[in-house]
Amino acid sequence: MMLKNDRLLKALKREPVDATPVWIMRQAGRYLPEYRAIRAKAGAFMNLCKTPELACEVTIQPLERFDLDAAILFSDILTIPDAMGLDLQFIEGEGPHFAHPIKTQADINKLGTPDPEQDLGYVMDAVRLVKKTLDQRVPLIGFAGSPWTLATYMIEGGSSKEFRQIKKMAFNEPAMLHHLLEKLAASVALYLEAQIRAGVDVVMVFDTWGGILIPRDYQEFSLRYLQHIVQALQHHNVPIILFTKNGGQWLEMIANTGCQGVGIDWTVDIAQARARVGHQVALQGNMDPAILYAKPERIVQEVNYILNAFGDHPGHIFNLGHGITPDVDPDNVKVLVDAVHNFSSSSSSSSSSSSSS
Ligand code: CP3
């Protein structure tokens, strides 16, 4: 069966499109009153993730409001550590919390590799239900966290500002940390392969915390494992997007992993990013999510700047540089999405395939 809207897949192949595809990180989330209603009904956040009918419903919600070119599975990156037995809780106003964080080599030895259909079957069921419900309207993006980013939550026990525990392990016990990262890379690869078999059209790996590392440590502790995942998935021929937040300085290295798309945040200018990677990969990004607090004219101006700066080439997927924040007015998201389509279809920027530089 063919997708009715294949702009995202075309952009990932760096093929011309009739308008630039757009989706929003965390597009199903608390800024939508209809999400908050389902979330309240589900009680705990993880109940929402673990109930395929509810996960499916909130996955589709943003598509009913906005002319988005992709759906992203409603789930979380922390499903893998939860399945490994760390016992994930989301504490209201505080974020994720693990009852059993990783402290010692013995803790790492105890971790198994989750069987995706057994231990994370609720995710695969959600993928199958969303695919059926979407009926090929738009592609479905599956995702996972990067090994490094998952390890930060598992070792710190939750969100962190300074990453003391994991950095201490990286500096004092690097072999121990690598052992954990290897287990995570194997688990993430199996998890994404299962999502692909269940029907996702694209996969994205979120490396939210790679950007806190010393550059040579980024290569050693994060990039190496991203590379492993790309290699493990390559034979499926499903496009892979890698996103290291604050990873602008490593764009070329990320592009060289063999992925099809690279996510960029707003701390890099997209014109310079495009000049550095050329036609090798698609770029996804990169509007500052805080622009959504501005008035509509300012949002449109920023959209036009980004589309112009990317320039007259195929291979751009419009997105924010990080997740949308909970207190944004949904009407402003409509302004953004419509501006992306209007501007990119009226200019020559998306319909021309002139450049391959
Ligand atoms: O719409 C989508 O983008 C799909 C769903 C999605 C969620 N989390 C739902 C969610 C995706 C792709 C994620 C990824 C995720 N989860 C990341 C990587 C991307 C990023 O934002 O950097 C990370 C680091 C997490 C871990 C996580 N999940 C944290 C730190 C938190 C708490 C902070 C917060 O925003 O509340 C979550 C909870 C979470 N995951 C929410 C949503 C919609 C909010 C929970 C709620 O409804 O109370």
mmCIF file of all heavy atoms in Angstrom, residues 79-128:
data_model
loop_
_atom_site.group_PDB
_atom_site.id
_atom_site.type_symbol
_atom_site.label_atom_id
_atom_site.label_comp_id
_atom_site.label_asym_id
_atom_site.label_seq_id
_atom_site.Cartn_x
_atom_site.Cartn_y
_atom_site.Cartn_z
ATOM 1 N N THR A 79 10.854 3.601 27.861
ATOM 2 C CA THR A 79 10.224 2.276 27.882
ATOM 3 C C THR A 79 11.280 1.165 27.970
ATOM 4 O O THR A 79 11.027 0.134 28.586
ATOM 5 C CB THR A 79 9.386 2.053 26.609
ATOM 6 O OG1 THR A 79 10.229 2.321 25.479
ATOM 7 C CG2 THR A 79 8.173 2.957 26.560
ATOM 8 N N ILE A 80 12.445 1.365 27.361
ATOM 9 C CA ILE A 80 13.479 0.312 27.384
ATOM 10 C C ILE A 80 14.037 0.116 28.798
ATOM 11 O O ILE A 80 13.996 -1.001 29.310
ATOM 12 C CB ILE A 80 14.583 0.570 26.330
ATOM 13 C CG1 ILE A 80 14.029 0.254 24.938
ATOM 14 C CG2 ILE A 80 15.833 -0.259 26.630
ATOM 15 C CD1 ILE A 80 15.047 0.296 23.814
ATOM 16 N N PRO A 81 14.535 1.163 29.465
ATOM 17 C CA PRO A 81 14.981 0.943 30.848
ATOM 18 C C PRO A 81 13.873 0.401 31.755
ATOM 19 O O PRO A 81 14.131 -0.415 32.639
ATOM 20 C CB PRO A 81 15.439 2.330 31.314
ATOM 21 C CG PRO A 81 15.478 3.204 30.126
ATOM 22 C CD PRO A 81 14.855 2.508 28.977
ATOM 23 N N ASP A 82 12.631 0.812 31.518
ATOM 24 C CA ASP A 82 11.517 0.274 32.305
ATOM 25 C C ASP A 82 11.424 -1.236 32.086
ATOM 26 O O ASP A 82 11.316 -2.000 33.048
ATOM 27 C CB ASP A 82 10.212 0.975 31.885
ATOM 28 C CG ASP A 82 9.015 0.557 32.715
ATOM 29 O OD1 ASP A 82 9.120 0.592 33.957
ATOM 30 O OD2 ASP A 82 7.979 0.197 32.130
ATOM 31 N N ALA A 83 11.522 -1.661 30.812
ATOM 32 C CA ALA A 83 11.445 -3.096 30.503
ATOM 33 C C ALA A 83 12.661 -3.858 31.034
ATOM 34 O O ALA A 83 12.611 -5.067 31.232
ATOM 35 C CB ALA A 83 11.309 -3.305 28.990
ATOM 36 N N MET A 84 13.761 -3.139 31.250
ATOM 37 C CA MET A 84 14.954 -3.779 31.810
ATOM 38 C C MET A 84 14.838 -3.972 33.322
ATOM 39 O O MET A 84 15.735 -4.516 33.948
ATOM 40 C CB MET A 84 16.200 -2.938 31.508
ATOM 41 C CG MET A 84 16.670 -3.031 30.057
ATOM 42 S SD MET A 84 18.060 -1.895 29.785
ATOM 43 C CE MET A 84 18.964 -2.797 28.510
ATOM 44 N N GLY A 85 13.759 -3.456 33.914
ATOM 45 C CA GLY A 85 13.503 -3.704 35.327
ATOM 46 C C GLY A 85 13.824 -2.539 36.258
ATOM 47 O O GLY A 85 13.842 -2.701 37.473
ATOM 48 N N LEU A 86 14.077 -1.340 35.699
ATOM 49 C CA LEU A 86 14.443 -0.208 36.565
ATOM 50 C C LEU A 86 13.242 0.456 37.232
ATOM 51 O O LEU A 86 13.412 1.321 38.082
ATOM 52 C CB LEU A 86 15.247 0.846 35.784
ATOM 53 C CG LEU A 86 16.763 0.617 35.811
ATOM 54 C CD1 LEU A 86 17.144 -0.594 34.994
ATOM 55 C CD2 LEU A 86 17.511 1.849 35.306
ATOM 56 N N ASP A 87 12.038 0.058 36.827
ATOM 57 C CA ASP A 87 10.804 0.544 37.443
ATOM 58 C C ASP A 87 10.639 2.063 37.304
ATOM 59 O O ASP A 87 10.943 2.832 38.204
ATOM 60 C CB ASP A 87 10.764 0.119 38.925
ATOM 61 C CG ASP A 87 9.394 0.372 39.535
ATOM 62 O OD1 ASP A 87 8.466 0.757 38.789
ATOM 63 O OD2 ASP A 87 9.250 0.199 40.756
ATOM 64 N N LEU A 88 10.122 2.442 36.149
ATOM 65 C CA LEU A 88 9.946 3.856 35.811
ATOM 66 C C LEU A 88 8.665 4.429 36.414
ATOM 67 O O LEU A 88 7.602 3.834 36.309
ATOM 68 C CB LEU A 88 9.881 3.972 34.278
ATOM 69 C CG LEU A 88 9.569 5.337 33.671
ATOM 70 C CD1 LEU A 88 10.662 6.343 33.994
ATOM 71 C CD2 LEU A 88 9.410 5.223 32.162
ATOM 72 N N GLN A 89 8.795 5.583 37.039
ATOM 73 C CA GLN A 89 7.622 6.350 37.485
ATOM 74 C C GLN A 89 7.769 7.772 36.962
ATOM 75 O O GLN A 89 8.885 8.280 36.931
ATOM 76 C CB GLN A 89 7.580 6.454 39.020
ATOM 77 C CG GLN A 89 7.710 5.158 39.771
ATOM 78 C CD GLN A 89 6.397 4.407 39.839
ATOM 79 O OE1 GLN A 89 5.325 4.987 39.630
ATOM 80 N NE2 GLN A 89 6.481 3.117 40.120
ATOM 81 N N PHE A 90 6.660 8.397 36.599
ATOM 82 C CA PHE A 90 6.713 9.824 36.297
ATOM 83 C C PHE A 90 6.098 10.559 37.466
ATOM 84 O O PHE A 90 4.920 10.383 37.774
ATOM 85 C CB PHE A 90 5.970 10.144 34.995
ATOM 86 C CG PHE A 90 6.808 9.862 33.781
ATOM 87 C CD1 PHE A 90 6.799 8.612 33.193
ATOM 88 C CD2 PHE A 90 7.634 10.839 33.239
ATOM 89 C CE1 PHE A 90 7.592 8.344 32.079
ATOM 90 C CE2 PHE A 90 8.422 10.580 32.128
ATOM 91 C CZ PHE A 90 8.407 9.333 31.548
ATOM 92 N N ILE A 91 6.913 11.345 38.139
ATOM 93 C CA ILE A 91 6.428 12.065 39.311
ATOM 94 C C ILE A 91 5.949 13.437 38.855
ATOM 95 O O ILE A 91 6.666 14.151 38.148
ATOM 96 C CB ILE A 91 7.530 12.151 40.387
ATOM 97 C CG1 ILE A 91 7.877 10.718 40.835
ATOM 98 C CG2 ILE A 91 7.078 13.019 41.564
ATOM 99 C CD1 ILE A 91 9.095 10.601 41.707
ATOM 100 N N GLU A 92 4.717 13.768 39.218
ATOM 101 C CA GLU A 92 4.066 15.006 38.771
ATOM 102 C C GLU A 92 4.952 16.221 39.062
ATOM 103 O O GLU A 92 5.383 16.414 40.193
ATOM 104 C CB GLU A 92 2.705 15.140 39.473
ATOM 105 C CG GLU A 92 1.600 15.722 38.621
ATOM 106 C CD GLU A 92 1.424 15.012 37.277
ATOM 107 O OE1 GLU A 92 1.097 13.812 37.263
ATOM 108 O OE2 GLU A 92 1.623 15.677 36.237
ATOM 109 N N GLY A 93 5.245 16.994 38.023
ATOM 110 C CA GLY A 93 6.032 18.209 38.204
ATOM 111 C C GLY A 93 7.536 17.963 38.311
ATOM 112 O O GLY A 93 8.310 18.906 38.447
ATOM 113 N N GLU A 94 7.957 16.708 38.303
ATOM 114 C CA GLU A 94 9.377 16.395 38.472
ATOM 115 C C GLU A 94 9.970 15.623 37.304
ATOM 116 O O GLU A 94 11.181 15.609 37.114
ATOM 117 C CB GLU A 94 9.564 15.538 39.732
ATOM 118 C CG GLU A 94 10.150 16.285 40.903
ATOM 119 C CD GLU A 94 10.444 15.328 42.035
ATOM 120 O OE1 GLU A 94 11.340 14.491 41.866
ATOM 121 O OE2 GLU A 94 9.752 15.401 43.071
ATOM 122 N N GLY A 95 9.114 14.915 36.577
ATOM 123 C CA GLY A 95 9.609 14.111 35.471
ATOM 124 C C GLY A 95 9.913 12.683 35.860
ATOM 125 O O GLY A 95 9.431 12.201 36.890
ATOM 126 N N PRO A 96 10.722 12.009 35.029
ATOM 127 C CA PRO A 96 10.925 10.569 35.233
ATOM 128 C C PRO A 96 11.763 10.260 36.463
ATOM 129 O O PRO A 96 12.649 11.019 36.837
ATOM 130 C CB PRO A 96 11.667 10.145 33.963
ATOM 131 C CG PRO A 96 12.282 11.385 33.413
ATOM 132 C CD PRO A 96 11.427 12.524 33.853
ATOM 133 N N HIS A 97 11.470 9.104 37.057
ATOM 134 C CA HIS A 97 12.209 8.683 38.240
ATOM 135 C C HIS A 97 12.341 7.161 38.211
ATOM 136 O O HIS A 97 11.358 6.455 37.993
ATOM 137 C CB HIS A 97 11.457 9.113 39.502
ATOM 138 C CG HIS A 97 12.097 8.649 40.760
ATOM 139 N ND1 HIS A 97 13.157 9.315 41.342
ATOM 140 C CD2 HIS A 97 11.856 7.556 41.534
ATOM 141 C CE1 HIS A 97 13.535 8.655 42.428
ATOM 142 N NE2 HIS A 97 12.764 7.580 42.563
ATOM 143 N N PHE A 98 13.558 6.656 38.407
ATOM 144 C CA PHE A 98 13.774 5.215 38.487
ATOM 145 C C PHE A 98 13.992 4.795 39.932
ATOM 146 O O PHE A 98 14.873 5.333 40.610
ATOM 147 C CB PHE A 98 14.984 4.790 37.658
ATOM 148 C CG PHE A 98 14.739 4.853 36.176
ATOM 149 C CD1 PHE A 98 15.434 5.750 35.379
ATOM 150 C CD2 PHE A 98 13.804 4.021 35.586
ATOM 151 C CE1 PHE A 98 15.199 5.810 34.012
ATOM 152 C CE2 PHE A 98 13.556 4.075 34.215
ATOM 153 C CZ PHE A 98 14.256 4.965 33.429
ATOM 154 N N ALA A 99 13.211 3.810 40.361
ATOM 155 C CA ALA A 99 13.352 3.302 41.725
ATOM 156 C C ALA A 99 14.694 2.598 41.904
ATOM 157 O O ALA A 99 15.253 2.577 42.988
ATOM 158 C CB ALA A 99 12.203 2.345 42.044
ATOM 159 N N HIS A 100 15.225 2.000 40.812
ATOM 160 C CA HIS A 100 16.471 1.230 40.926
ATOM 161 C C HIS A 100 17.519 1.721 39.931
ATOM 162 O O HIS A 100 17.769 1.064 38.926
ATOM 163 C CB HIS A 100 16.196 -0.260 40.662
ATOM 164 C CG HIS A 100 15.034 -0.801 41.435
ATOM 165 N ND1 HIS A 100 15.050 -0.902 42.810
ATOM 166 C CD2 HIS A 100 13.817 -1.256 41.042
ATOM 167 C CE1 HIS A 100 13.880 -1.401 43.211
ATOM 168 N NE2 HIS A 100 13.118 -1.615 42.160
ATOM 169 N N PRO A 101 18.147 2.869 40.184
ATOM 170 C CA PRO A 101 19.151 3.359 39.233
ATOM 171 C C PRO A 101 20.383 2.452 39.196
ATOM 172 O O PRO A 101 20.598 1.644 40.100
ATOM 173 C CB PRO A 101 19.510 4.753 39.768
ATOM 174 C CG PRO A 101 19.092 4.776 41.187
ATOM 175 C CD PRO A 101 17.981 3.776 41.337
ATOM 176 N N ILE A 102 21.172 2.611 38.130
ATOM 177 C CA ILE A 102 22.373 1.790 37.932
ATOM 178 C C ILE A 102 23.542 2.434 38.676
ATOM 179 O O ILE A 102 23.887 3.587 38.424
ATOM 180 C CB ILE A 102 22.712 1.729 36.425
ATOM 181 C CG1 ILE A 102 21.565 1.097 35.636
ATOM 182 C CG2 ILE A 102 24.031 1.012 36.187
ATOM 183 C CD1 ILE A 102 21.323 -0.352 35.925
ATOM 184 N N LYS A 103 24.156 1.658 39.576
ATOM 185 C CA LYS A 103 25.283 2.196 40.336
ATOM 186 C C LYS A 103 26.557 1.380 40.158
ATOM 187 O O LYS A 103 27.654 1.920 40.190
ATOM 188 C CB LYS A 103 24.934 2.226 41.829
ATOM 189 C CG LYS A 103 23.782 3.184 42.169
ATOM 190 C CD LYS A 103 23.808 3.523 43.662
ATOM 191 C CE LYS A 103 22.847 4.639 44.001
ATOM 192 N NZ LYS A 103 21.540 4.158 44.463
ATOM 193 N N THR A 104 26.410 0.079 40.012
ATOM 194 C CA THR A 104 27.591 -0.798 40.054
ATOM 195 C C THR A 104 27.631 -1.726 38.840
ATOM 196 O O THR A 104 26.635 -1.867 38.117
ATOM 197 C CB THR A 104 27.541 -1.705 41.303
ATOM 198 O OG1 THR A 104 26.384 -2.566 41.175
ATOM 199 C CG2 THR A 104 27.427 -0.887 42.581
ATOM 200 N N GLN A 105 28.782 -2.374 38.677
ATOM 201 C CA GLN A 105 28.925 -3.387 37.619
ATOM 202 C C GLN A 105 27.893 -4.502 37.814
ATOM 203 O O GLN A 105 27.325 -5.004 36.835
ATOM 204 C CB GLN A 105 30.353 -3.953 37.633
ATOM 205 C CG GLN A 105 30.627 -4.998 36.549
ATOM 206 C CD GLN A 105 30.558 -4.443 35.136
ATOM 207 O OE1 GLN A 105 31.225 -3.461 34.818
ATOM 208 N NE2 GLN A 105 29.741 -5.056 34.276
ATOM 209 N N ALA A 106 27.643 -4.854 39.057
ATOM 210 C CA ALA A 106 26.652 -5.919 39.322
ATOM 211 C C ALA A 106 25.267 -5.503 38.806
ATOM 212 O O ALA A 106 24.526 -6.322 38.255
ATOM 213 C CB ALA A 106 26.594 -6.223 40.817
ATOM 214 N N ASP A 107 24.924 -4.220 38.960
ATOM 215 C CA ASP A 107 23.636 -3.732 38.438
ATOM 216 C C ASP A 107 23.571 -3.914 36.922
ATOM 217 O O ASP A 107 22.516 -4.247 36.365
ATOM 218 C CB ASP A 107 23.447 -2.235 38.748
ATOM 219 C CG ASP A 107 23.337 -1.945 40.241
ATOM 220 O OD1 ASP A 107 22.945 -2.853 40.999
ATOM 221 O OD2 ASP A 107 23.652 -0.799 40.632
ATOM 222 N N ILE A 108 24.696 -3.652 36.269
ATOM 223 C CA ILE A 108 24.729 -3.762 34.799
ATOM 224 C C ILE A 108 24.647 -5.231 34.384
ATOM 225 O O ILE A 108 23.931 -5.577 33.446
ATOM 226 C CB ILE A 108 26.001 -3.078 34.232
ATOM 227 C CG1 ILE A 108 25.954 -1.577 34.543
ATOM 228 C CG2 ILE A 108 26.134 -3.318 32.726
ATOM 229 C CD1 ILE A 108 27.245 -0.832 34.268
ATOM 230 N N ASN A 109 25.372 -6.095 35.105
ATOM 231 C CA ASN A 109 25.349 -7.531 34.782
ATOM 232 C C ASN A 109 23.928 -8.096 34.836
ATOM 233 O O ASN A 109 23.575 -8.974 34.078
ATOM 234 C CB ASN A 109 26.235 -8.319 35.758
ATOM 235 C CG ASN A 109 27.702 -7.978 35.587
ATOM 236 O OD1 ASN A 109 28.106 -7.414 34.567
ATOM 237 N ND2 ASN A 109 28.508 -8.306 36.583
ATOM 238 N N LYS A 110 23.132 -7.555 35.749
ATOM 239 C CA LYS A 110 21.768 -8.070 35.941
ATOM 240 C C LYS A 110 20.814 -7.702 34.808
ATOM 241 O O LYS A 110 19.753 -8.300 34.660
ATOM 242 C CB LYS A 110 21.184 -7.506 37.248
ATOM 243 C CG LYS A 110 21.479 -8.366 38.473
ATOM 244 C CD LYS A 110 20.636 -7.912 39.659
ATOM 245 C CE LYS A 110 21.153 -6.607 40.193
ATOM 246 N NZ LYS A 110 20.670 -6.096 41.431
ATOM 247 N N LEU A 111 21.176 -6.665 34.015
ATOM 248 C CA LEU A 111 20.238 -6.174 33.000
ATOM 249 C C LEU A 111 20.134 -7.154 31.844
ATOM 250 O O LEU A 111 21.146 -7.579 31.283
ATOM 251 C CB LEU A 111 20.707 -4.821 32.444
ATOM 252 C CG LEU A 111 20.780 -3.652 33.409
ATOM 253 C CD1 LEU A 111 21.422 -2.458 32.709
ATOM 254 C CD2 LEU A 111 19.386 -3.299 33.927
ATOM 255 N N GLY A 112 18.910 -7.477 31.482
ATOM 256 C CA GLY A 112 18.695 -8.300 30.299
ATOM 257 C C GLY A 112 18.457 -7.423 29.081
ATOM 258 O O GLY A 112 18.367 -6.197 29.193
ATOM 259 N N THR A 113 18.380 -8.058 27.918
ATOM 260 C CA THR A 113 18.009 -7.358 26.694
ATOM 261 C C THR A 113 16.523 -7.611 26.485
ATOM 262 O O THR A 113 16.120 -8.746 26.250
ATOM 263 C CB THR A 113 18.792 -7.939 25.493
ATOM 264 O OG1 THR A 113 20.181 -7.858 25.797
ATOM 265 C CG2 THR A 113 18.520 -7.162 24.219
ATOM 266 N N PRO A 114 15.679 -6.570 26.591
ATOM 267 C CA PRO A 114 14.236 -6.823 26.464
ATOM 268 C C PRO A 114 13.871 -7.414 25.099
ATOM 269 O O PRO A 114 14.419 -6.997 24.082
ATOM 270 C CB PRO A 114 13.609 -5.435 26.639
ATOM 271 C CG PRO A 114 14.657 -4.587 27.280
ATOM 272 C CD PRO A 114 15.985 -5.159 26.868
ATOM 273 N N ASP A 115 12.987 -8.403 25.143
ATOM 274 C CA ASP A 115 12.431 -8.944 23.901
ATOM 275 C C ASP A 115 11.293 -8.001 23.490
ATOM 276 O O ASP A 115 10.296 -7.890 24.212
ATOM 277 C CB ASP A 115 11.904 -10.355 24.163
ATOM 278 C CG ASP A 115 11.209 -10.946 22.941
ATOM 279 O OD1 ASP A 115 10.598 -10.182 22.160
ATOM 280 O OD2 ASP A 115 11.266 -12.175 22.781
ATOM 281 N N PRO A 116 11.426 -7.323 22.349
ATOM 282 C CA PRO A 116 10.444 -6.272 22.032
ATOM 283 C C PRO A 116 9.001 -6.765 21.958
ATOM 284 O O PRO A 116 8.099 -6.064 22.417
ATOM 285 C CB PRO A 116 10.891 -5.731 20.669
ATOM 286 C CG PRO A 116 12.271 -6.230 20.443
ATOM 287 C CD PRO A 116 12.492 -7.418 21.317
ATOM 288 N N GLU A 117 8.771 -7.948 21.400
ATOM 289 C CA GLU A 117 7.373 -8.408 21.275
ATOM 290 C C GLU A 117 6.822 -8.900 22.614
ATOM 291 O O GLU A 117 5.627 -8.811 22.863
ATOM 292 C CB GLU A 117 7.229 -9.489 20.200
ATOM 293 C CG GLU A 117 7.349 -8.964 18.758
ATOM 294 C CD GLU A 117 6.183 -8.065 18.299
ATOM 295 O OE1 GLU A 117 5.132 -7.991 18.975
ATOM 296 O OE2 GLU A 117 6.349 -7.420 17.241
ATOM 297 N N GLN A 118 7.703 -9.412 23.470
ATOM 298 C CA GLN A 118 7.258 -9.891 24.784
ATOM 299 C C GLN A 118 7.167 -8.742 25.785
ATOM 300 O O GLN A 118 6.128 -8.444 26.337
ATOM 301 C CB GLN A 118 8.285 -10.896 25.349
ATOM 302 C CG GLN A 118 8.350 -12.209 24.596
ATOM 303 C CD GLN A 118 7.097 -13.035 24.806
ATOM 304 O OE1 GLN A 118 6.592 -13.129 25.916
ATOM 305 N NE2 GLN A 118 6.591 -13.621 23.729
ATOM 306 N N ASP A 119 8.339 -8.104 25.992
ATOM 307 C CA ASP A 119 8.449 -7.146 27.098
ATOM 308 C C ASP A 119 7.948 -5.753 26.717
ATOM 309 O O ASP A 119 7.635 -4.948 27.591
ATOM 310 C CB ASP A 119 9.914 -7.053 27.542
ATOM 311 C CG ASP A 119 10.488 -8.437 27.866
ATOM 312 O OD1 ASP A 119 9.755 -9.233 28.481
ATOM 313 O OD2 ASP A 119 11.640 -8.721 27.492
ATOM 314 N N LEU A 120 7.940 -5.450 25.417
ATOM 315 C CA LEU A 120 7.478 -4.135 24.962
ATOM 316 C C LEU A 120 6.364 -4.310 23.933
ATOM 317 O O LEU A 120 6.179 -3.482 23.038
ATOM 318 C CB LEU A 120 8.661 -3.341 24.384
ATOM 319 C CG LEU A 120 9.700 -2.953 25.457
ATOM 320 C CD1 LEU A 120 11.082 -2.734 24.859
ATOM 321 C CD2 LEU A 120 9.238 -1.696 26.193
ATOM 322 N N GLY A 121 5.620 -5.376 24.117
ATOM 323 C CA GLY A 121 4.532 -5.704 23.187
ATOM 324 C C GLY A 121 3.494 -4.589 23.094
ATOM 325 O O GLY A 121 2.909 -4.368 22.031
ATOM 326 N N TYR A 122 3.317 -3.841 24.182
ATOM 327 C CA TYR A 122 2.340 -2.737 24.145
ATOM 328 C C TYR A 122 2.737 -1.671 23.133
ATOM 329 O O TYR A 122 1.879 -1.025 22.528
ATOM 330 C CB TYR A 122 2.121 -2.145 25.546
ATOM 331 C CG TYR A 122 3.340 -1.465 26.170
ATOM 332 C CD1 TYR A 122 3.583 -0.114 25.970
ATOM 333 C CD2 TYR A 122 4.235 -2.187 26.968
ATOM 334 C CE1 TYR A 122 4.688 0.515 26.549
ATOM 335 C CE2 TYR A 122 5.333 -1.574 27.546
ATOM 336 C CZ TYR A 122 5.563 -0.223 27.325
ATOM 337 O OH TYR A 122 6.654 0.385 27.891
ATOM 338 N N VAL A 123 4.055 -1.487 22.938
ATOM 339 C CA VAL A 123 4.519 -0.503 21.944
ATOM 340 C C VAL A 123 4.223 -1.019 20.533
ATOM 341 O O VAL A 123 3.732 -0.276 19.669
ATOM 342 C CB VAL A 123 6.033 -0.227 22.101
ATOM 343 C CG1 VAL A 123 6.521 0.741 21.028
ATOM 344 C CG2 VAL A 123 6.329 0.324 23.502
ATOM 345 N N MET A 124 4.521 -2.309 20.307
ATOM 346 C CA MET A 124 4.291 -2.882 18.977
ATOM 347 C C MET A 124 2.792 -2.917 18.652
ATOM 348 O O MET A 124 2.379 -2.656 17.526
ATOM 349 C CB MET A 124 4.897 -4.287 18.881
ATOM 350 C CG MET A 124 6.374 -4.340 19.270
ATOM 351 S SD MET A 124 7.374 -3.055 18.455
ATOM 352 C CE MET A 124 8.598 -2.743 19.752
ATOM 353 N N ASP A 125 1.972 -3.208 19.669
ATOM 354 C CA ASP A 125 0.520 -3.179 19.459
ATOM 355 C C ASP A 125 0.055 -1.765 19.105
ATOM 356 O O ASP A 125 -0.806 -1.590 18.240
ATOM 357 C CB ASP A 125 -0.214 -3.641 20.730
ATOM 358 C CG ASP A 125 -0.048 -5.136 20.970
ATOM 359 O OD1 ASP A 125 0.319 -5.857 20.020
ATOM 360 O OD2 ASP A 125 -0.267 -5.583 22.120
ATOM 361 N N ALA A 126 0.649 -0.775 19.765
ATOM 362 C CA ALA A 126 0.280 0.616 19.452
ATOM 363 C C ALA A 126 0.679 0.952 18.013
ATOM 364 O O ALA A 126 -0.095 1.577 17.278
ATOM 365 C CB ALA A 126 0.933 1.578 20.443
ATOM 366 N N VAL A 127 1.877 0.523 17.587
ATOM 367 C CA VAL A 127 2.312 0.790 16.204
ATOM 368 C C VAL A 127 1.302 0.184 15.220
ATOM 369 O O VAL A 127 0.851 0.862 14.284
ATOM 370 C CB VAL A 127 3.719 0.201 15.926
ATOM 371 C CG1 VAL A 127 4.050 0.255 14.427
ATOM 372 C CG2 VAL A 127 4.781 0.938 16.736
ATOM 373 N N ARG A 128 0.925 -1.081 15.453
ATOM 374 C CA ARG A 128 0.006 -1.753 14.511
ATOM 375 C C ARG A 128 -1.357 -1.057 14.485
ATOM 376 O O ARG A 128 -1.932 -0.850 13.411
ATOM 377 C CB ARG A 128 -0.127 -3.236 14.890
ATOM 378 C CG ARG A 128 1.143 -4.046 14.531
ATOM 379 C CD ARG A 128 0.993 -5.539 14.819
ATOM 380 N NE ARG A 128 1.197 -5.846 16.223
ATOM 381 C CZ ARG A 128 2.355 -6.335 16.731
ATOM 382 N NH1 ARG A 128 3.379 -6.604 15.944
ATOM 383 N NH2 ARG A 128 2.456 -6.556 18.027
#
